[in-house]
């Protein structure tokens, strides 16, 4: 028993797992719920039909399904097992829902149930499909929300989808399983032809419409997202290009004049910075040879009225004097000065990343951007970017001479904040360098593949680099752009399927009731016809009985007188014959005459006596049933007593007589009539079945059915031709007319079985294969019918 229960639990888990995996193919993003969840209906049906002990199978199957749903595969075990609480909680909700659903069905609908009335179907839909389905939806959705896998804005839509999916799953698949395995069997099997096709057809239509509408809605949201994403990108690219264009204007300032003073640069830069807030600073980086270093330091010190030297950043991050080099690229001017004072005099060529950018800018004579670096003037951890644009003039021989570089300094966070203002809620933007290093993210949440419902990548051109510009939409975006079409589809689908299911459940149930009533009417009509035949036959037998009784009564008197006269005549002839001997010698003629008279007298007397025996048989045929006693008997004991009393007659013949009857059968019948039937059948076999000197087998076998008893009386004798079988129960029909048979024995059996015992008898035989009588008797005789038949 334990092994069987374990096997059933495993099978339930497998069924739930397969049904759940197939249903997830219809899931709509974010993918936690689907339009129909057949596993919920299968789980409830299994517990309803097989028992509550299968709930661990539902728990296990739901757990296996939801391990994949929560997206935990591919992680290390140490990172994986702490997250198993989520699929476990969801599976607990599914198993509890199945148990409560069965309880609700038994409480408000009852089981076995026919679901053939409007009230019972409404109770099934409201309590089981409606109220019961709230458990898994509430537990699962809340667990996902608490675990951070479901946005608050998406809670109710996900709950509603989950609830409708489970409700439809129960409504459709519980009903389908009940059609094939539910009780009462005859009611549910009568629905097999039409109900599965209707429910599956309606389900296919509703699910198809919902999935189509949801996919259309998803495509619309995808298009909406693509448009917004393109707008965000174009704004970012345009602003970046505008800042580069501003840098070119600064380049033009220094290319046009070699006598740009610090005050000139300050005035020019203030206007540029005011119009382009993305710049953290603008700088003029002059190219200085080794011989010019001291002059530049003196000029800058005079301008600042404080010592200024060419510096570099040491390994510990502090600014120190730059060692002697062949040339330098020194920050000569920088605005706003006060915030960037530490950068003044810094040799940007002393650092690796800026130096690479300077070389690229000089090589292509276009702007070049550094990789993210820590700015000299930055005291925090925020990274910065610097775009360098070379400034050259043309000498006497028309060859360009590099004067220095104008540069735009950006903080990454500030620049992106300027490029991407007012990003739509639910959309995040990330920017990465060509090497893949993350430069910026608009929010601090790392979107998983499940969270990022939509995503697009573009290339943002920043000076000479191509940055990866990615936009992602999460569940919040879905909520903000969602229409009510899927909700309406689900609500209409639920209502339509519920009404359709209720209608066909009631119609098929009422059809079964109608068919059952029709069958009962047919059976009742058959019984009435049989009763009518029985009454007609009883009337015929009563008339025959009255006729025979009257005929026998009228013949009894003359036959009695004839028998008396014949007996007296025979006695007188014997006395006359004796007196003749006393008279002496008489004539031969007189002796012969007396002898002939004696012989004639004996013949007449014998035939008159035989006629009297026939009259007695006629009286037996017309037996009065009103005098028959009805009582309760143990059939085995009673039949055994009958066979014991008959044993002397069949033991002398050498035949084997067998009684096979269960000892527990009790029936209410007319014992005398039953005994008469058995006696006549046995005598019939002993007289007619076996040739002289042959030993055979006679058997009486008794079988009990629900309300009837079948007695099968058979022998292995000579049997009878088929044409003779048709007349076997007719009065005076016999195959042993010259051997003492009167033809009334089986006719008497037929009358007793049909009238006294209220049963049926039929015969089957073939020549050489014996006779078989099948007698069907009621387990409890109706004494009122017996009395009526006697009337």
């Amino acid at each position: 028993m334990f092994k069987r229960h374990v096997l059933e639990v495993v099978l339930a888990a497998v069924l739930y797992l397969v049904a759940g995996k197939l249903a997830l193919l219809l899931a709509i993003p974010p993918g936690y719920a689907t339009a129909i969840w057949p596993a919920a209906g299968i789980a409830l049906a299994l517990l309803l039909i097989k028992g509550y002990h299968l709930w661990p199978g539902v728990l296990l199957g739901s757990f296996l399904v939801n391990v994949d749903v929560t997206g935990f595969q591919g992680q290390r075990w140490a990172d994986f097992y702490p997250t198993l609480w989520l699929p476990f909680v969801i599976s607990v909700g599914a198993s509890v829902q199945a148990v409560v659903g069965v309880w609700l069905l038994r409480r408000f609908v009852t089981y076995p149930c026919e679901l053939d009335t409007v009230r019972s179907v409404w109770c099934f839909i409201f309590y089981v499909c409606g109220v019961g389905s709230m458990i898994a939806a509430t537990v699962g959705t809340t667990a996902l929300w608490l675990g951070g896998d479901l946005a608050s804005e998406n809670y109710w839509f996900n709950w509603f989808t989950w609830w409708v999916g489970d409700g439809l799953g129960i409504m459709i698949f519980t009903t389908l399983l009940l059609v094939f395995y539910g009780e009462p069997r005859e009611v549910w099997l009568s629905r097999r032809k039409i109900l599965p096709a209707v429910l599956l057809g309606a389900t296919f239509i509703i699910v198809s419409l919902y999935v189509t509408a949801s996919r259309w809605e998803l495509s619309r949201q995808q298009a909406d997202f693509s448009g917004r994403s393109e707008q965000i990108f174009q704004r970012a690219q345009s602003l970046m290009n505008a800042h580069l264009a501003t840098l070119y204007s600064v380049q033009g300032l220094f290319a046009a004049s070699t006598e740009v003073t610090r005050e000139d640069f300050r005035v020019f830069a203030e206007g540029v910075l005011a119009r382009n807030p993305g710049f953290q600073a603008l700088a003029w980086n002059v190219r200085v040879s080794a011989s010019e270093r001291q002059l530049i330091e003196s000029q800058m010190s005079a301008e600042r009225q404080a010592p200024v030297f060419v510096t570099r950043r040491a390994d510990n991050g502090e600014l120190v004097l730059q060692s002697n080099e062949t040339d330098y690229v020194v920050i000569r001017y920088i605005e706003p000065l006060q915030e960037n004072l530490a950068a003044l005099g810094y040799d940007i060529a002393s650092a690796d990343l800026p130096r690479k950018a300077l070389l690229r800018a000089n090589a292509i004579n276009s702007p070049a951007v550094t990789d993210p670096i820590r700015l000299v003037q930055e005291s925090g951890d925020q990274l910065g970017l610097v775009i360098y644009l070379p400034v050259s003039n043309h000498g006497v021989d028309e060859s360009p001479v590099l004067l220095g570089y104008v540069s735009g300094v950006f903080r990454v966070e500030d620049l992106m904040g300027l490029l991407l203002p007012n990003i739509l809620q639910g959309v995040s933007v990330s920017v990465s360098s060509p090497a893949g290093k993350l430069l910026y993210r608009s929010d601090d949440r790392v979107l998983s593949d499940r969270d990022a419902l939509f995503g697009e990548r573009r290339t943002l051109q920043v000076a000479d680099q191509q940055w990866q510009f990615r936009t992602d939409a999460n569940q919040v975006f879905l909520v903000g752009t969602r229409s009510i079409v899927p909700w309406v589809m689900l609500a209409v689908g639920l209502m339509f399927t519920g009404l359709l299911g209720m209608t066909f459940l009631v119609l098929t149930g009422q059809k079964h009731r109608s068919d059952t009533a029709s069958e009962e009417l047919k059976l009742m009509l058959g019984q009435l016809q049989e009763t009518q035949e029985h009454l007609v036959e009883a009337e015929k037998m009563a008339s025959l009985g009255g006729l025979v009784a009257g005929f026998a009564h009228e013949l009894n008197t003359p036959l009695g007188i004839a028998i008396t006269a014949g007996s007296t005549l025979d006695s007188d002839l014997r006395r006359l014959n004796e007196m003749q001997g006393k008279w002496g010698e008489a004539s031969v003629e007189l002796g012969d005459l007396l002898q002939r008279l004696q012989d004639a007298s004996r013949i007449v007397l014998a035939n008159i006596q035989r006629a009297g025996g026939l009259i007695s048989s006629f009286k037996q045929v017309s037996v009065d049933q009103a005098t028959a006693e009805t009582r309760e008997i143990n059939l085995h004991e009673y039949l055994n007593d009958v066979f014991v009393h008959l044993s002397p007659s069949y033991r002398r013949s050498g035949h084997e007589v067998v009684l096979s009857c269960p000892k527990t059968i009790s029936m209410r019948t007319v014992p005398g009539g039953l005994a008469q039937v058995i006696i006549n059948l046995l005598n019939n076999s002993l007289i007619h079945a076996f040739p002289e000197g042959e030993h055979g087998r006679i058997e009486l076998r008794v079988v009990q059915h629900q309300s009837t008893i079948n007695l099968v009386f058979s022998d292995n004798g000579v049997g009878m031709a088929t044409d003779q079988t048709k007349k076997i129960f007719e009065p005076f029909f016999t195959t042993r007319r010259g051997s003492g048979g009167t033809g009334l024995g089986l006719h008497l059996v037929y009358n007793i079985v049909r009238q006294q015992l209220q049963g049926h008898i039929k015969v089957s035989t073939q020549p050489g294969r014996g006779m078989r009588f099948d007698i069907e008797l009621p387990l409890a005789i109706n004494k009122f019918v017996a009395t009526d038949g006697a009337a």
Side-chain angles (χ1 to χ4, degrees):
M1 183 63 71
F2 176 75
K3 291 183 178 179
R4 179 182 177 184
H5 284 178
V6 172
L7 182 61
E8 289 178 344
V9 168
V10 172
L11 180 59
V14 172
L15 290 175
Y16 195 102
L17 176 62
V18 173
K21 289 293 186 181
L22 292 176
L24 286 178
L25 298 177
L26 300 175
I28 302 300
Y32 299 120
T34 183
I36 184 170
W37 191 250
I42 293 174
L44 191 145
L46 288 176
L47 267 64
L48 180 65
I49 297 172
K50 291 296 184 179
Y52 287 109
H53 66 279
L54 293 184
W55 71 265
V58 179
L59 181 73
L60 178 60
S62 177
F63 179 81
L64 294 177
V65 171
N66 288 287
V67 166
D68 288 339
V69 169
T70 50
F72 296 139
Q73 291 183 340
Q75 299 184 19
R76 296 180 305 169
W77 175 249
D79 298 328
F80 174 67
Y81 79 86
T83 59
L84 292 179
W85 71 270
L86 183 54
F88 177 75
V89 170
I90 294 175
S91 62
V92 168
S95 57
V96 170
Q97 174 176 283
V99 172
V100 172
V102 173
W103 180 84
L104 288 172
L105 191 147
R106 293 183 181 274
R107 169 65 176 82
F108 294 100
V109 184
T110 72
Y111 186 80
C113 59
E114 298 181 0
L115 291 181
D116 58 351
T117 64
V118 174
R119 180 186 179 280
S120 62
V121 174
W122 269 120
C123 286
F124 173 72
I125 293 175
F126 179 77
Y127 289 107
V128 182
C129 303
V131 177
S133 299
M134 294 180 180
I135 298 174
T138 303
V139 173
T141 306
T142 303
L144 290 169
W145 175 66
L146 292 175
D149 292 279
L150 186 67
S152 300
E153 295 84 353
N154 208 36
Y155 182 93
W156 288 111
F157 180 83
N158 195 84
W159 184 93
F160 181 76
T161 306
W162 196 315
W163 174 63
V164 172
D166 280 16
L168 287 177
I170 293 173
M171 189 183 303
I172 304 300
F173 288 88
T174 297
T175 304
L176 289 178
L177 288 177
L178 286 176
V179 167
F180 293 95
Y181 304 104
E183 296 292 343
R185 299 292 300 127
E186 63 275 6
V187 176
W188 288 103
L189 287 177
S190 67
R191 295 164 163 163
R192 182 177 294 182
K193 292 183 179 180
I194 185 171
L195 193 58
V198 170
L199 291 179
L200 290 177
T203 303
F204 176 78
I205 293 173
I206 295 302
V207 172
S208 298
L209 289 176
Y210 171 73
V211 171
T212 301
S214 298
R215 300 297 181 191
W216 171 83
E217 174 69 11
L218 203 61
S219 298
R220 185 191 64 79
Q221 290 176 309
Q222 172 74 68
D224 188 8
F225 169 76
S226 296
R228 294 173 184 268
S229 176
E230 180 66 23
Q231 290 178 0
I232 294 172
F233 171 76
Q234 290 298 338
R235 174 181 172 81
Q237 187 66 73
S238 297
L239 288 176
M240 180 58 68
N241 292 340
H243 282 72
L244 289 177
T246 300
L247 206 58
Y248 273 104
S249 68
V250 180
Q251 178 197 43
L253 173 66
F254 286 95
S257 174
T258 58
E259 297 296 332
V260 179
T261 65
R262 186 178 67 83
E263 184 62 22
D264 295 336
F265 181 77
R266 183 187 66 79
V267 173
F268 186 87
E270 284 181 353
V272 171
L273 292 174
R275 294 188 300 273
N276 298 275
F279 286 117
Q280 192 270 335
L282 287 176
W284 162 241
N285 310 291
V286 64
R287 182 184 180 190
V288 179
S289 63
S291 60
E292 297 173 332
R293 173 178 175 175
Q294 187 175 2
L295 177 61
I296 288 296
E297 288 177 341
S298 299
Q299 291 176 349
M300 294 174 64
S301 298
E303 292 171 357
R304 282 288 300 137
Q305 296 181 356
V308 176
F309 303 98
V310 177
T311 59
R312 65 178 177 85
R313 189 180 294 277
D315 294 337
N316 58 6
E318 295 182 358
L319 292 176
V320 297
L321 287 175
Q322 172 65 300
S323 59
N324 293 327
E325 301 291 342
T326 57
D327 59 1
Y328 313 90
V329 179
V330 178
I331 298 178
R332 180 73 173 84
Y333 304 141
I334 187 167
E335 291 293 336
L337 179 60
Q338 198 61 36
E339 292 86 347
N340 300 284
L341 193 58
L344 201 63
Y346 178 74
D347 179 13
I348 57 178
S350 63
D352 184 57
L353 292 179
R355 183 170 58 253
K356 291 180 179 178
L358 293 174
L359 292 176
R360 294 200 311 273
N362 189 45
I364 62 176
N365 196 29
S366 295
V369 62
T370 65
D371 288 335
I373 60 173
R374 181 182 175 187
L375 299 173
V376 176
Q377 63 272 34
E378 187 65 56
S379 59
D381 295 330
Q382 186 175 181
L383 297 180
L385 298 171
V386 183
I387 299 177
Y388 297 104
L389 182 61
V391 178
S392 303
N393 65 359
H394 297 279
V396 178
D397 57 356
E398 298 299 328
S399 61
V401 177
L402 180 62
L403 301 177
Y405 302 84
V406 293
S407 61
V409 181
F410 305 90
R411 288 191 180 93
V412 177
E413 294 288 337
D414 295 341
L415 176 63
M416 293 298 107
L418 176 66
L419 297 180
L420 308 171
N422 302 322
I423 296 176
L424 182 67
Q425 188 178 16
V427 178
S428 63
V429 175
S430 61
V431 180
S432 302
S433 67
K437 183 177 181 180
L438 181 65
L439 302 178
Y440 171 79
R441 182 181 297 279
S442 61
D443 56 27
D444 57 356
R445 176 170 179 166
V446 178
L447 296 178
S448 65
D449 291 337
R450 181 173 298 279
D451 286 332
L453 303 177
F454 307 126
E456 293 186 352
R457 287 181 172 85
R458 293 178 174 84
T459 301
L460 181 65
Q461 190 70 41
V462 180
D464 64 332
Q465 290 188 5
Q466 293 180 333
W467 290 357
Q468 296 298 317
F469 189 92
R470 171 172 174 166
T471 51
D472 295 295
N474 56 28
Q475 298 176 37
V476 178
F477 176 83
L478 281 184
V479 175
T481 59
R482 177 178 288 136
S483 71
I484 64 171
V485 173
W487 291 72
V488 172
M489 274 297 191
L490 283 175
V492 172
L494 177 62
M495 185 179 299
F496 174 78
T497 306
L499 292 175
L500 185 68
M502 182 191 73
T503 301
F504 274 89
L505 280 172
V506 173
L507 288 178
T508 53
Q510 293 301 323
K511 181 179 182 300
H512 177 265
R513 282 179 178 265
S514 176
D515 293 342
T516 302
S518 177
E519 292 297 325
E520 291 176 353
L521 288 175
K522 289 181 181 179
L523 179 61
M524 187 178 298
L525 180 61
Q527 292 176 344
L528 289 174
Q529 291 175 343
E530 184 179 350
T531 302
Q532 182 183 19
E533 294 175 359
H534 183 79
L535 290 174
V536 171
E537 186 176 0
E539 281 295 322
K540 291 169 58 180
M541 292 300 104
S543 299
L544 177 62
L547 176 64
V548 171
F551 180 69
H553 178 73
E554 294 299 328
L555 287 180
N556 264 340
T557 300
L559 281 176
I561 295 173
I563 291 174
T564 302
S567 300
T568 302
L569 178 61
D570 184 65
S571 176
D572 290 343
L573 287 173
R574 283 197 302 272
R575 289 178 61 193
L576 181 61
N577 192 28
E578 291 174 355
M579 290 174 63
Q580 179 189 0
K582 295 179 181 179
W583 293 340
E585 185 176 354
S587 66
V588 175
E589 257 182 73
L590 180 60
D592 291 340
L593 178 60
L594 289 174
Q595 183 63 43
R596 286 196 299 276
L597 288 173
Q598 282 183 313
D599 291 341
S601 176
R602 285 194 294 272
I603 292 172
V604 170
L605 182 60
N607 281 279
I608 292 175
Q609 289 175 340
R610 183 180 178 190
L614 287 174
I615 295 301
S616 298
S617 297
F618 292 160
K619 288 184 177 181
Q620 181 67 25
V621 171
S622 62
V623 60
D624 186 6
Q625 296 175 0
T627 62
E629 295 183 1
T630 302
R631 60 186 175 89
E632 190 88 13
I633 62 171
N634 181 286
L635 188 58
H636 177 270
E637 295 178 358
Y638 188 81
L639 293 178
N640 189 63
D641 291 342
V642 172
F643 274 84
V644 169
H645 287 93
L646 295 176
S647 60
S649 61
Y650 63 75
R651 284 180 179 173
R652 287 194 301 268
S653 65
H655 299 307
E656 179 186 7
V657 179
V658 178
L659 171 64
S660 175
C661 177
K663 296 182 179 181
T664 58
I665 299 178
S666 294
M667 66 181 299
R668 185 175 186 81
T669 187
V670 180
L674 179 60
Q676 188 65 42
V677 168
I678 301 303
I679 292 171
N680 283 5
L681 290 177
L682 181 61
N683 288 334
N684 183 73
S685 293
L686 292 175
I687 295 172
H688 301 285
F690 307 103
E692 189 70 27
E694 182 177 331
H695 302 298
R697 174 185 173 90
I698 301 172
E699 180 182 5
L700 175 61
R701 181 165 50 87
V702 181
V703 179
Q704 179 180 1
H705 297 292
Q706 290 183 349
S707 59
T708 60
I709 300 294
N710 281 3
L711 290 84
V712 181
F713 188 94
S714 61
D715 62 55
N716 59 352
V718 296
M720 183 181 290
T722 304
D723 57 341
Q724 294 177 328
T725 305
K726 299 178 181 179
K727 299 185 272 183
I728 194 170
F729 295 122
E730 294 181 1
F732 307 113
F733 175 78
T734 179
T735 59
R736 301 288 294 274
R737 179 70 65 185
S739 303
T742 63
L744 294 173
L746 291 181
H747 180 64
L748 179 62
V749 167
Y750 180 83
N751 286 338
I752 294 174
V753 170
R754 295 288 301 218
Q755 298 178 54
Q756 277 193 350
L757 305 182
Q758 301 176 14
H760 303 276
I761 183 171
K762 62 180 180 179
V763 62
S764 56
T765 180
Q766 288 185 3
R769 296 190 178 182
M771 297 282 291
R772 171 179 170 139
F773 294 90
D774 290 273
I775 303 173
E776 182 181 291
L777 302 177
L779 194 60
I781 197 170
N782 189 338
K783 60 182 180 180
F784 299 106
V785 175
T787 302
D788 293 343

